[in-house]
Amino acid sequence: MANIGARIERIPDNKYNRKMLIRTGFGNTFDSMDIAMVAFVLPSLIGLWSLTSEQAGILGSSVLIGYFFGAFFSGWLGDKIGRKKVIMYTLVIYCLATLASAFAAEWEHFFWMRVIAGIGTGGESAILAPYLSELIASRYRGKYIGALTGFHSFGYVAAAVIGYFVIPMSEDWGWRIALIITALPIFLVLYWRRTLPESPRWLESSGRLEEAEKEMSRMEANVEKYIGKLPEPTEFVQPPKAKGSFFTLWNKKFVKRTVMVWILWFSVIFSYYGFFTWLPTLLYNEGFEISKSFMFSILIYLAQIPGYFSAAFLNDKIGRKKVICAYLGLGAVSALFLSQADTSTTIIIAGFFTSLFMVGGMAGMYTYTPEQYPTIIRSTGTGSASAFGRIGGLLAPIYIGFMYPIYGFIGVFLMTTGVLLVGMLSTLILGEETNSKPLDDLTADDDDINKVG
């Protein structure tokens, strides 16, 4: 009997795949809009609560603190209870916490609500890439996971637009209304409940073969609405069942991959959140009024769209490893130029390319990471790498908050240059190309997968 992987591999690219991309992409868009909004409300909060640079840095890291726990535990839960349930529950958590943060009366209350919101956004972002990767044939996977990551850019641009038009409307209520708007996607859960399938790969790996067959048959029926009768799948022997855990990531087969992706995630997320969380405030501190700093941010955030989607296109053309190394290397060069920029034009140009190349590397990273692990630990592996990366993400705004008064604009972006280079080198030295390899080829033997060390 053909297994689920064989049945998915013979499905050509089609309209159903694209619909699944859009459905899951909504999650990344709203996650990023929620995270990015902190950067735009931060200047208002600094004035409202007379925050020090250090306190502002702590607030800037609040979402990332929750993100760490959300990403780690959602990966584990995704392998235990299923991908779909985690996607829906995490959406509800972040929307409700974001709504509560809009009514915060003091910065400590705002901080804790943003931490809880981060649990939701972190959990959802960590589970979406492995989920979609399990539904797409290997020859299209790089394009789709890169494009899925690209939906983050729409969230950042939406946050910048809301920040530009809504926050200046009222000194007292502008930032609160902006946060209320970012909580509205809670209604998306009703749509997801009806349209998202559970991963048949995960159901199969969990021994729930009847449910796997039901979901797979439903997927095939949806695909055949657009392309007609599917060809018969290649016959595969059902792989033996094995159990995995967090400790499986550290056995002999996976330890080099795990070290590589953890360094990569830490480097990219440190640079990403340090850059985007502080960008409007740094521009404001450099002498640009708040409305102009928000407009500059919109232009720089717009660079994420070509960054993500160019990398998504190249993922399947030249390979994930080359995409990551090329984009992070060019991002480091752009950050170096940004550190020397001293006019509006040079800041926008250097910031545009820093943004473009940084997120392009992220598109490669989100595609590359789920491919390092078999189904039974794919969610755990991706979630733990994402969680470790969030340590860098939560440290970056705090570190910049302390560093900026001492080393200024130049020091912040020289640091970004160095950190991006570390991520590039870890992939170059430790990484192996995974381009177009079927996910089932990553499955280890039982003896390997259950043995640590």
Side-chain angles (χ1 to χ4, degrees):
M1 176 183 177
N3 65 3
I4 295 296
R7 293 165 71 176
I8 290 175
E9 282 299 316
R10 104 293 196 184
I11 296 176
D13 200 6
N14 64 91
K15 189 174 181 180
Y16 178 74
N17 286 0
R18 293 188 284 275
K19 284 186 174 182
M20 287 302 303
L21 170 64
I22 293 171
R23 290 165 185 167
T24 51
F26 281 145
N28 277 343
T29 294
F30 295 129
D31 286 347
S32 290
M33 184 172 69
D34 187 67
I35 294 170
M37 193 56 66
V38 175
F40 292 97
V41 303
L42 200 54
S44 298
L45 300 183
I46 290 172
L48 176 65
W49 290 318
S50 302
L51 301 179
T52 65
S53 178
E54 292 80 7
Q55 289 172 327
I58 292 170
L59 274 191
S61 292
S62 57
V63 175
L64 279 304
I65 295 171
Y67 210 115
F68 168 81
F69 293 102
F72 184 84
F73 287 107
S74 78
W76 175 77
L77 282 172
D79 285 332
K80 297 298 180 184
I81 68 172
R83 290 29 170 163
K84 180 177 178 178
K85 287 181 180 178
V86 173
I87 290 170
M88 293 174 61
Y89 294 158
T90 50
L91 174 72
V92 173
I93 290 171
Y94 100 69
C95 287
L96 292 179
T98 296
L99 184 62
S101 71
F103 298 95
E106 52 190 26
W107 80 271
E108 292 89 350
H109 176 211
F110 183 86
F111 169 83
W112 286 111
M113 289 300 100
R114 299 313 297 156
V115 169
I116 296 172
I119 292 173
T121 54
E124 189 168 85
S125 291
I127 201 74
L128 286 171
Y131 170 73
L132 187 61
S133 72
E134 293 174 353
L135 305 178
I136 303 293
S138 59
R139 58 192 181 278
Y140 312 116
R141 195 169 59 239
K143 175 179 69 175
Y144 273 90
I145 305 306
L148 172 68
T149 312
F151 277 79
H152 284 295
S153 63
F154 303 139
Y156 271 86
V157 173
V161 171
I162 293 170
Y164 181 74
F165 288 105
V166 175
I167 292 177
M169 290 172 55
S170 169
E171 184 176 344
D172 295 326
W173 275 94
W175 66 273
R176 297 183 191 273
I177 294 172
L179 288 170
I180 291 171
I181 293 172
T182 64
L184 294 179
I186 191 169
F187 297 107
L188 182 63
V189 75
L190 302 175
Y191 175 64
W192 274 350
R193 184 177 181 182
R194 181 173 55 86
T195 61
L196 292 185
E198 182 52 271
S199 165
R201 287 185 191 266
W202 173 78
L203 290 168
E204 180 187 55
S205 72
S206 302
R208 296 162 62 173
L209 301 184
E210 289 186 12
E211 294 173 75
E213 173 63 31
K214 181 179 178 180
E215 290 286 10
M216 191 68 232
S217 297
R218 186 181 300 162
M219 281 180 56
E220 290 167 334
N222 281 321
V223 169
E224 288 179 341
K225 291 178 183 178
Y226 302 111
I227 67 168
K229 184 69 175 176
L230 282 165
E232 290 299 314
T234 305
E235 294 293 320
F236 277 78
V237 177
Q238 192 71 21
K241 288 177 62 178
K243 294 182 178 180
S245 70
F246 172 78
F247 298 104
T248 309
L249 305 177
W250 302 98
N251 72 21
K252 186 177 180 179
K253 183 176 182 67
F254 301 114
V255 64
K256 187 173 81 167
R257 303 179 192 181
T258 299
V259 170
M260 182 269 296
V261 296
W262 281 34
I263 294 173
L264 174 62
W265 275 82
F266 186 95
S267 302
V268 173
I269 300 301
F270 183 97
S271 304
Y272 183 87
Y273 284 105
F275 179 69
F276 287 111
T277 300
W278 271 97
L279 182 61
T281 303
L282 290 178
L283 291 173
Y284 180 71
N285 289 342
E286 288 300 301
F288 302 103
E289 65 267 22
I290 191 166
S291 60
K292 183 176 286 189
S293 75
F294 282 4
M295 178 55 72
F296 285 2
S297 298
I298 292 174
L299 294 174
I300 292 172
Y301 285 4
L302 281 170
Q304 293 191 30
I305 297 175
Y308 278 123
F309 288 97
S310 63
F313 172 78
L314 291 172
N315 267 336
D316 288 329
K317 297 294 183 182
I318 66 173
R320 291 65 151 137
K321 182 177 176 178
K322 290 179 181 177
V323 166
I324 292 169
C325 292
Y327 276 73
L328 293 189
L330 291 169
V333 172
S334 300
L336 179 62
F337 278 107
L338 182 58
S339 71
Q340 307 301 313
D342 56 3
T343 66
S344 299
T345 301
T346 55
I347 286 174
I348 290 175
I349 293 173
F352 183 92
F353 284 104
T354 301
S355 173
L356 186 153
F357 290 124
M358 191 186 303
V359 301
M362 186 174 287
M365 179 181 74
Y366 268 91
T367 306
Y368 195 47
T369 304
E371 296 174 338
Q372 304 302 311
Y373 305 106
T375 302
I376 60 171
I377 56 168
R378 182 169 298 118
S379 181
T380 298
T382 305
S384 63
S386 179
F388 187 74
R390 306 308 153 172
I391 296 176
L394 68 90
L395 289 177
I398 297 173
Y399 186 62
I400 292 174
F402 282 94
M403 184 175 167
Y404 177 74
I406 302 172
Y407 297 104
F409 195 80
I410 293 175
V412 168
F413 292 107
L414 283 176
M415 176 191 66
T416 303
T417 298
V419 174
L420 287 172
L421 288 175
V422 170
M424 181 193 75
L425 289 173
S426 74
T427 307
L428 185 65
I429 296 169
L430 299 176
E432 297 180 5
E433 188 52 71
T434 58
N435 191 19
S436 298
K437 292 183 180 179
L439 288 177
D440 288 344
D441 287 357
L442 298 171
T443 303
D445 295 334
D446 284 4
D447 289 342
D448 287 334
I449 208 164
N450 289 314
K451 185 166 58 179
V452 178

